Amino acid sequence: MKKKMGIVLLLGIILGGAGMIYYSTQSKMTMGQATGKEEVAQKLCTLEGNVVRIEIKGDETTILEKEHHNWENPEHMDLTYDWQAVHEWLVAIRKIESKEAIYKVEDEAQYGIDDKSLIITLYDEMNRSQTFKVGKVAEDKQHLYMTTDRMEGVYAVAYNDGQQLLRNPNTFVVGNLKIPELDNIEEIKLTHNEEYTLSLKKSQDLGADKWFLMDYYKGSHFIQTEVMEQLLETIKVMKIDSFAGAITEKEDYGLTKPQLILGLNQGWELSFGKTEGDLVYVRMNDQSVVYTMKKEVLEKLASHKPFDMISRAVLELSLSDLKQIVLENPQGTYNLALEYGEPGQVATEIVSQLDEIALNKEQTAELISTISSSIWIEAALQNPEIEQKEERKAEITITCTLRNNQEEKIELIPYDINYYILRVDGVTEFAVNKDKVTKLFNTLSHMKKEKK
């Protein structure tokens, strides 16, 4: 009898314990907690076929379809995707292994799996698919939670592996600007805020390529070589950062009225819209797709101002082309006449006469350089039209005659203690430094006195 009672009592204890375990488990499940959790290393991607379609749903939806060896976006066929980058991303997905599995989860939202999750669906050539949802980062910062429709439960994967899934698909886009080769660029236009355009044209001058600023001032002006080199280098290294989206009625990225438009030759344009952080939105020609580019490119292009670009030398004098220079001021006239050797002889035969003073080639070159550097543009007139209305008398004139008998006349008109107004062929736009001009005539006067 006692033995039977012991067995009954033991059975009761076992059943009671089992009941408590069952109650505890049910209580945890009603609180939304998992019933099972275990460490398990398991590949999460079980799609065996070649992936030919990718759907990525986040804030926006991106669809990529594989055509031959290229990935294309059916909504934006003019986009080019980096095949290697997409391939590496898919390889990273196939390699992801779980570190821990959590089963029978009633509320996946506690792991960041909800309607706001990033969803990635892969399709193979047989139209079989596998979908992944990416959740939040675990408290230990070492893991990321995710699920897949082919397996039950929530899986913790290594954070670095899971991060591969979070790559913005826009960064797969290759922004091919198709910039013309620098040697083939003949014309550049910089349109600032639709207010004014700097038109630059390349031309042959004395056998060399030179760039000129056209139409902004009354005449064309040679652009400083170092300035042009900087501009061409900026154009050469321009590159897209990533694809941003497409222009819609709600979002124009500031490209309806761009800050700047860069035009190259005929038919190539890049428009710069609004800036965001260190990036600026850009688009090619009138395409609807929009890219981002480093803002510093815009800043470099916009920094080119007309007055800072042009050469300040008024006289571009060359020994091989110059025949005569006549300089006149109130104190007198100075006549520099160049003499050349026989046709076909080298420039070492060039000598000159400054009135009755004979100069060899080196002395001639030095004097011409002094004249050029003395007639130097220092400022642009604020209101050139006002200065041009009145035919004011020049205090100084410089007349250059080329070997082909073409003449250029420069007139300097008193303005204030610092400047002369520069008048070339009747046009006034700039002012030159009075002190430099005064020193030039002092030099000429000193040379004549020394001869006497």
Side-chain angles (χ1 to χ4, degrees):
M1 186 69 179
K2 287 183 179 179
K3 187 176 182 180
K4 288 183 179 180
M5 287 294 292
I7 293 173
V8 171
L9 182 61
L10 178 61
L11 182 61
I13 292 173
I14 293 171
L15 289 176
M20 289 179 68
I21 292 171
Y22 175 80
Y23 175 80
S24 174
T25 301
Q26 291 298 310
S27 176
K28 287 183 179 180
M29 290 181 63
T30 59
M31 293 173 65
Q33 295 182 2
T35 59
K37 182 184 292 188
E38 64 176 328
E39 292 184 4
V40 57
Q42 184 175 359
K43 288 279 181 67
L44 297 188
C45 183
T46 60
L47 190 67
E48 295 181 355
N50 293 321
V51 176
V52 297
R53 180 181 170 92
I54 303 170
E55 294 180 3
I56 304 173
K57 297 180 180 179
D59 295 333
E60 299 177 353
T61 298
T62 299
I63 297 174
L64 298 179
E65 295 178 346
K66 193 174 184 180
E67 293 292 334
H68 303 295
H69 290 291
N70 298 319
W71 286 98
E72 297 178 350
N73 186 330
E75 295 182 353
H76 301 294
M77 294 300 293
D78 45 0
L79 291 178
T80 302
Y81 283 82
D82 185 337
W83 182 91
Q84 185 65 30
V86 177
H87 173 72
E88 291 174 357
W89 181 77
L90 286 172
V91 169
I93 292 178
R94 289 189 182 279
K95 287 183 176 180
I96 290 179
E97 288 188 352
S98 64
K99 300 295 183 181
E100 186 178 72
I102 308 165
Y103 302 112
K104 295 182 182 180
V105 179
E106 286 192 355
D107 183 12
E108 292 182 344
Q110 64 183 308
Y111 299 102
I113 311 294
D114 53 27
D115 56 1
K116 295 180 181 178
S117 296
L118 174 67
I119 302 175
I120 300 170
T121 303
L122 309 180
Y123 296 84
D124 65 13
E125 65 269 20
M126 301 297 294
N127 204 35
R128 295 171 298 201
S129 67
Q130 183 170 4
T131 298
F132 305 90
K133 285 187 177 182
V134 184
K136 67 181 183 180
V137 179
E139 291 182 2
D140 61 7
K141 309 295 184 183
Q142 301 297 313
H143 298 90
L144 188 70
Y145 296 111
M146 59 184 295
T147 63
T148 172
D149 61 343
R150 288 189 164 208
M151 300 163 62
E152 292 185 2
V154 175
Y155 295 86
V157 302
Y159 176 77
N160 289 336
D161 295 339
Q163 277 288 88
Q164 301 289 330
L165 303 179
L166 301 177
R167 178 169 176 174
N168 188 326
N170 289 348
T171 62
F172 293 139
V173 174
V174 177
N176 187 358
L177 294 176
K178 297 180 180 178
I179 302 171
E181 292 291 331
L182 294 188
D183 290 343
N184 297 330
I185 298 176
E186 303 289 332
E187 181 179 352
I188 299 173
K189 289 187 176 181
L190 292 168
T191 303
H192 293 251
N193 294 310
E194 300 183 350
E195 295 174 0
Y196 67 93
T197 298
L198 302 181
S199 180
L200 318 179
K201 290 188 178 180
K202 185 166 64 175
S203 179
Q204 279 278 323
D205 183 68
L206 302 177
D209 286 339
K210 288 190 175 182
W211 283 88
F212 293 85
L213 175 64
M214 314 293 291
D215 303 328
Y216 188 85
Y217 296 112
K218 295 292 182 182
S220 62
H221 290 268
F222 172 59
I223 298 174
Q224 299 177 57
T225 302
E226 59 272 20
V227 172
M228 202 63 224
E229 288 175 349
Q230 290 171 4
L231 175 57
L232 290 172
E233 182 62 22
T234 299
I235 293 171
K236 178 184 176 181
V237 300
M238 287 192 312
K239 63 180 181 179
I240 295 301
D241 183 74
S242 67
F243 170 61
I247 291 180
T248 64
E249 292 182 1
K250 294 183 178 180
E251 177 60 271
D252 71 349
Y253 298 93
L255 289 161
T256 302
K257 292 185 177 181
Q259 297 186 59
L260 184 79
I261 300 175
L262 169 66
L264 304 177
N265 296 338
Q266 297 295 321
W268 192 100
E269 280 190 353
L270 185 68
S271 298
F272 293 79
K274 66 183 180 182
T275 56
E276 196 166 296
D278 64 346
L279 299 175
V280 59
Y281 294 109
V282 299
R283 71 166 170 173
M284 285 284 299
N285 297 337
D286 292 325
Q287 293 180 357
S288 63
V289 294
V290 179
Y291 302 95
T292 60
M293 183 179 286
K294 293 297 183 184
K295 186 175 65 175
E296 65 180 0
V297 176
L298 170 64
E299 293 170 342
K300 287 181 179 179
L301 293 174
S303 69
H304 291 288
K305 305 301 180 183
F307 185 73
D308 297 328
M309 297 183 76
I310 62 173
S311 171
R312 306 298 179 81
V314 179
L315 296 170
E316 296 287 345
L317 302 176
S318 170
L319 280 177
S320 60
D321 293 315
L322 191 59
K323 180 178 180 181
Q324 184 182 40
I325 306 176
V326 179
L327 305 97
E328 300 177 72
N329 75 348
Q331 285 72 44
T333 300
Y334 303 87
N335 185 355
L336 177 67
L338 278 73
E339 300 173 3
Y340 295 80
E342 294 298 322
Q345 291 183 338
V346 295
T348 53
E349 300 301 319
I350 298 174
V351 293
S352 66
Q353 289 281 138
L354 177 62
D355 295 326
E356 72 280 10
I357 306 172
L359 303 174
N360 61 28
K361 186 196 174 221
E362 289 73 20
Q363 291 168 329
T364 301
E366 184 179 351
L367 181 54
I368 288 175
S369 176
T370 301
I371 294 171
S372 296
S373 61
S374 300
I375 314 302
W376 198 260
I377 293 173
E378 297 285 352
L381 297 177
Q382 293 278 331
N383 299 294
E385 296 82 6
I386 295 176
E387 303 297 342
Q388 201 166 315
K389 282 181 181 179
E390 186 180 345
E391 189 67 24
R392 298 169 63 181
K393 186 177 179 180
E395 182 174 285
I396 293 172
T397 61
I398 300 172
T399 305
C400 297
T401 305
L402 302 182
R403 293 181 70 182
N404 61 8
N405 292 321
Q406 180 181 342
E407 279 192 359
E408 181 177 5
K409 187 175 183 180
I410 293 169
E411 298 176 290
L412 303 181
I413 303 162
Y415 184 66
D416 60 22
I417 61 172
N418 296 313
Y419 297 107
Y420 280 116
I421 292 176
L422 174 67
R423 185 162 64 204
V424 181
D425 297 328
V427 176
T428 59
E429 293 183 287
F430 303 105
V432 300
N433 186 288
K434 181 178 284 188
D435 186 53
K436 288 183 179 180
V437 177
T438 301
K439 287 180 179 178
L440 168 63
F441 279 92
N442 287 341
T443 298
L444 296 171
S445 176
H446 183 69
M447 290 175 69
K448 291 185 74 170
K449 285 179 180 178
E450 278 192 335
K451 181 64 178 177
K452 290 179 181 179

